[in-house]
Amino acid sequence: MKIKATVLCENCVFFHAGAIAEHGWSVYLETDQGNFLFDTGQGKGIINNAHYFHKDLSNLQGIIISHHHHDHTGGLLQVLEYTGKVKVYSHPELFKNSYNVRDGVEKNIGIPFRREILESRGAEFIFNTDFTEIVPGLLLSGEIPRKTSFETGDTKLLLKNEKGYIQDIVADDQTLIANTEKGLVIVLGCSHSGIVNIVNYAIAKTGQQHIHAIFGGTHLDRASKTTKSKSIEALKQFDIEKIGTSHCTGLEASMHLFQEFGKRFFFCNVGTVIET
Ligand SMILES: [Fe+2]
Ligand SMILES: [Fe+2]
């Protein structure tokens, strides 16, 4: 497979006057098997930025959702206005309610739309929990086994049960993997499963050790110092040609990765293009 990925939604934008940054994530994927959209941002920038970068939302083969959080799903309704009937690949927990609580105020951070509304606008949901091939060479991870001892998840992400709040491990977190002639291209959502778990799983499922590029949210910004340093140490052991940090990676982890990866590191923001 050949792939060209253009970041449409991310927390920063540089030099593209006319494009909009937001706390969110979306990537437009042009492949030899058709065009796909991975995540939709929170809904402020997606339409504007698709126009700005001349990315056609009306010819998508499918929309792929990394996980249920609103900063990845909030643009879905607007995107459907352009696509009409379209396949939407995601985990069956897409519509769960999940929360964070700040200063005593609870906020629902799940997808801001009901399933019926999205279906009435053309979404055809295809749910998966296991590793799945979307088209030849384009793979969706399914649930990622949580194996490392140091990737413990974000304790501020919550679900509610009859006893009160419990941690949401975001079991629905999925990663997109393109198996290209140049190696794997790994497109992260927020890496709620742990970036090292994700890379290990991508290698195990594809048998491909060489990673041409890995980019997206790593969630290292909200991780402990130990998790940050152990994750970065572990990443150095893989055969990674390029690593791009975005969204929930934060400045400190990005700086560390830049120090460790040097020229192989890139800051991955609105308008960044990754091509094989
Ligand atoms: Fe996110
Ligand atoms: Fe998230």
Side-chain angles (χ1 to χ4, degrees):
M1 133 136 338
K2 274 189 184 299
I3 191 161
K4 179 182 180 188
T6 305
V7 177
L8 288 187
C9 298
E10 206 272 332
N11 303 36
C12 298
V13 62
F14 301 97
F15 299 113
H16 296 291
I20 294 170
E22 63 180 32
H23 176 78
W25 180 240
S26 174
V27 185
Y28 191 88
L29 304 164
E30 291 158 88
T31 83
D32 46 8
Q33 309 278 334
N35 299 337
F36 294 85
L37 187 69
F38 182 70
D39 286 345
T40 65
Q42 61 163 281
K44 305 281 194 294
I46 184 77
I47 302 301
N48 177 82
N49 292 356
H51 284 140
Y52 179 85
F53 292 107
H54 308 292
K55 301 303 173 195
D56 188 0
L57 295 172
S58 69
N59 72 350
L60 296 177
Q61 286 265 109
I63 299 169
I64 303 152
I65 301 291
S66 67
H67 65 300
H68 72 288
H69 285 153
H70 66 112
D71 50 329
H72 299 251
T73 56
L76 184 51
L77 190 64
Q78 292 172 72
V79 170
L80 289 172
E81 282 179 30
Y82 289 80
T83 60
K85 210 170 157 193
V86 68
K87 293 188 172 87
V88 181
Y89 298 88
S90 83
H91 187 282
E93 285 185 8
L94 180 64
F95 294 98
K96 73 183 176 186
N97 291 316
S98 79
Y99 309 89
N100 69 20
V101 180
R102 267 197 209 126
D103 304 324
V105 179
E106 176 191 279
K107 194 176 164 206
N108 191 332
I109 55 170
I111 185 169
F113 314 111
R114 291 211 318 271
R115 179 174 174 173
E116 308 81 74
I117 298 287
L118 296 169
E119 285 177 334
S120 74
R121 306 291 166 88
E124 295 179 340
F125 288 100
I126 299 176
F127 295 121
N128 71 300
T129 55
D130 294 331
F131 193 83
T132 303
E133 185 175 73
I134 294 176
V135 288
L138 193 64
L139 313 160
L140 188 56
S141 69
E143 293 180 13
I144 307 273
R146 317 288 171 105
K147 291 200 168 163
T148 61
S149 57
F150 50 87
E151 293 176 304
T152 47
D154 183 342
T155 53
K156 299 239 163 61
L157 301 175
L158 305 169
L159 298 173
K160 264 194 238 180
N161 67 12
E162 59 291 340
K163 291 190 188 131
Y165 293 117
I166 52 163
Q167 185 181 343
D168 180 11
I169 65 158
V170 197
D172 51 306
D173 180 47
Q174 303 205 65
T175 295
L176 191 73
I177 303 150
N179 201 347
T180 79
E181 281 171 16
K182 293 188 176 172
L184 299 182
V185 173
I186 300 178
V187 190
L188 305 163
C190 277
S191 302
H192 291 297
S193 314
I195 186 168
V196 180
N197 285 327
I198 290 168
V199 177
N200 276 326
Y201 195 59
I203 292 171
K205 293 304 269 186
T206 59
Q208 171 63 272
Q209 302 272 340
H210 181 66
I211 295 152
H212 174 69
I214 176 168
F215 61 97
T218 67
H219 220 68
L220 289 172
D221 193 37
R222 303 269 286 264
S224 68
K225 269 203 155 29
T226 314
T227 304
K228 262 187 209 141
S229 62
K230 288 194 172 177
S231 300
I232 293 169
E233 257 331 286
L235 284 172
K236 284 162 60 184
Q237 309 309 314
F238 295 114
D239 178 14
I240 296 176
E241 203 174 317
K242 292 178 201 163
I243 182 163
T245 61
S246 315
H247 186 46
C248 47
T249 303
L251 187 58
E252 198 187 323
S254 292
M255 272 169 46
H256 285 169
L257 285 162
F258 182 34
Q259 278 171 344
E260 297 297 340
F261 283 83
K263 285 194 172 126
R264 293 184 291 152
F265 171 91
F266 62 102
F267 203 30
C268 185
N269 311 115
V270 173
T272 299
V273 175
I274 298 96
E275 199 168 2
T276 62

